[in-house]
């Protein structure tokens, strides 16, 4: 049997990109990491790492083992969680992964309802945006780009919850603040605030907006999150676009105006582990989340649930 501790080290090296970074994350020395990986290669009979410049890189075997290893470690984490739940008298647990604005505006009342209706279940809320390789929640609330082909990995049921259109947020004294809608091209000369880092879905949507409008904002100010972005807009620093759900609570000095040309939105979905999809608490959670999507800020209609939850 593969040693789980060594498997965890391999997964960390593949995720971190180097022995030293993995050693720092695991609070081990680089030599200890190297020794464990050498032992793992010996016990599996596989070459898992190869030299790459001054460091190492995973082989194809190493990448595949790390991918399956993440699944195994996630399963073991659920077993450990079950043991803890049983020890303290809980009948089970439900883990929910989420992104920031859903955590702020949807989950507090959803969790309060679940606590009343399923008091013996331990609820665990985890931020999974950007995705965390080792985290496999029972229900993972995620976003997709509009018109992207529906996708869910093996063992996951995809459930569509809402469509969340993007809006322009700008200072109330901005010349276009009183308009019923704003085209992105009309803001090409304004300084833009961009809250999204890396290549996440929201960052790609914003870049799609710029391309579709034929603009290349000359002044882009990077903010940490939508709360910071809203604060900078309130101070008159610039303008921005964000999903309606993120712009739910604005100060009096900031307005949100529907974005047109292009129309942009994100799709909010839940990835549900197929192994738990028939649990009453899972079905109830999805019902509550969909009610939030239809009746809350992300309100453009969702159609039927995607994914068979009753099979």
């Amino acid at each position: 049997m593969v040693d789980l501790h060594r498997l965890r080290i391999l997964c960390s090296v593949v995720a971190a990109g180097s022995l030293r970074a993995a050693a720092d994350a695991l609070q081990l020395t680089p030599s200890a990491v190297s020794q464990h990986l050498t032992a793992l290669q010996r016990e599996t009979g596989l070459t898992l790492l190869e030299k790459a410049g001054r460091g190492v890189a995973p082989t194809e075997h190493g990448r595949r083992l790390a991918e399956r290893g993440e699944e195994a470690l996630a399963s073991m984490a659920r077993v450990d969680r079950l043991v803890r739940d049983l020890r303290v008298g809980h009948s089970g647990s439900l883990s929910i992964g989420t992104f920031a604005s859903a955590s702020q505006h949807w989950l507090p009342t959803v969790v309060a309802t679940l606590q009343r209706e399923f008091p013996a279940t331990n609820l665990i809320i985890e931020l999974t945006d950007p995705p965390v390789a080792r985290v496999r929640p029972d229900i993972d609330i995620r976003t997709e780009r509009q018109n992207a082909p529906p996708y869910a990995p093996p063992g996951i049921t995809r459930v569509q919850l809402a469509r969340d259109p993007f809006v322009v947020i700008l200072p109330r004294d901005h010349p276009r603040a009183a308009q019923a809608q704003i085209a992105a091209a009309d803001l090409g000369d304004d300084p833009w605030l961009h809250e999204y880092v890396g290549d996440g879905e929201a960052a790609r949507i914003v870049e799609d907006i710029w391309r579709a409008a034929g603009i290349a904002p000359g002044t882009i100010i990077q903010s940490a999150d939508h709360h910071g972005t809203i604060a900078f807009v309130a101070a008159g620093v610039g303008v921005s676009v964000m999903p309606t759900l993120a712009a739910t609570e604005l100060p009096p000095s900031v307005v949100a105006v529907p974005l047109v040309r292009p129309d942009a939105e994100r799709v909010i979905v839940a990835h549900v582990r197929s192994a738990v999809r028939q649990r009453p608490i899972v079905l109830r959670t999805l019902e509550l989340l969909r009610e939030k999507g239809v009746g809350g800020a992300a309100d453009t209609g969702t159609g039927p649930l995607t994914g068979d939850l009753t099979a």
Side-chain angles (χ1 to χ4, degrees):
M1 183 178 293
V2 174
D3 184 281
L4 285 178
H5 179 58
R6 292 167 184 162
L7 184 60
R8 181 176 288 107
I9 290 174
L10 173 66
C11 292
S12 180
V13 170
V14 173
S18 73
L19 291 177
R20 183 169 295 279
D24 290 341
L26 297 169
Q27 296 184 320
L28 297 171
T29 65
S31 62
V33 169
S34 180
Q35 290 169 15
H36 280 298
L37 292 175
T38 298
L40 182 61
Q41 291 186 125
R42 185 169 57 250
E43 72 182 20
T44 60
L46 299 172
T47 300
L48 304 175
L49 299 169
E50 58 189 1
K51 289 187 177 296
R54 300 177 63 181
V56 295
T59 63
E60 178 61 24
H61 288 160
R63 282 190 292 271
R64 292 180 62 183
L65 182 58
E67 181 180 338
R68 289 298 179 91
E70 294 285 3
E71 297 172 6
L73 293 171
S75 295
M76 287 304 302
R78 287 191 289 270
V79 171
D80 289 341
R81 186 180 299 154
L82 174 61
V83 171
R84 290 196 301 269
D85 291 340
L86 295 175
R87 187 181 296 137
V88 298
H90 288 134
S91 62
S93 64
L94 178 71
S95 57
I96 302 174
T98 183
F99 55 91
S101 51
S103 176
Q104 179 181 1
H105 299 297
W106 283 7
L107 285 181
T109 54
V110 168
V111 168
T113 300
L114 294 175
Q115 280 186 322
R116 289 194 301 271
E117 297 180 5
F118 301 89
T121 301
N122 184 35
L123 298 172
I124 303 163
I125 311 301
E126 304 168 290
L127 282 175
T128 51
D129 182 28
V132 181
R134 294 197 183 97
V135 175
R136 297 288 188 273
D138 297 317
I139 300 174
D140 195 7
I141 307 170
R142 312 164 63 98
T143 61
E144 300 174 353
R145 297 165 80 183
Q146 64 191 91
N147 302 322
Y151 168 76
I156 297 294
T157 300
R158 175 187 178 275
V159 180
Q160 182 170 312
L161 301 175
R163 307 186 77 88
D164 192 11
F166 275 60
V167 294
V168 179
I169 61 166
L170 62 171
R172 189 171 292 277
D173 59 2
H174 190 280
R176 298 187 182 277
Q179 293 181 193
Q181 56 190 25
I182 297 177
D186 293 337
L187 300 171
D189 294 330
D190 284 80
W192 277 68
L193 290 139
H194 192 27
E195 66 172 283
Y196 302 106
V197 180
D199 61 352
E201 297 299 332
R204 292 172 185 164
I205 291 173
V206 174
E207 291 165 1
D208 288 346
I209 290 169
W210 292 342
R211 282 193 293 268
I215 62 175
T219 305
I220 300 175
I221 301 165
Q222 187 76 56
S223 180
D225 54 35
H226 65 268
H227 292 293
T229 298
I230 291 168
F232 282 119
V233 171
V237 173
V239 302
S240 188
V241 295
M242 64 178 56
T244 302
L245 185 59
T248 299
E249 298 176 359
L250 298 176
S253 58
V254 175
V255 298
V257 180
L259 173 69
V260 295
R261 299 191 302 277
D263 296 324
E265 65 181 9
R266 65 181 178 179
V267 182
I268 303 177
V269 302
H271 280 193
V272 185
R273 288 200 309 113
S274 299
V276 303
R277 66 184 185 179
Q278 296 185 52
R279 289 178 60 189
I281 189 172
V282 171
L283 294 172
R284 180 57 171 149
T285 302
L286 294 172
E287 179 184 20
L288 293 169
L289 289 172
R290 193 162 182 268
E291 287 174 1
K292 287 291 184 181
V294 173
D299 183 9
T300 61
T302 62
L305 291 178
T306 301
D308 180 5
L309 296 178
T310 59

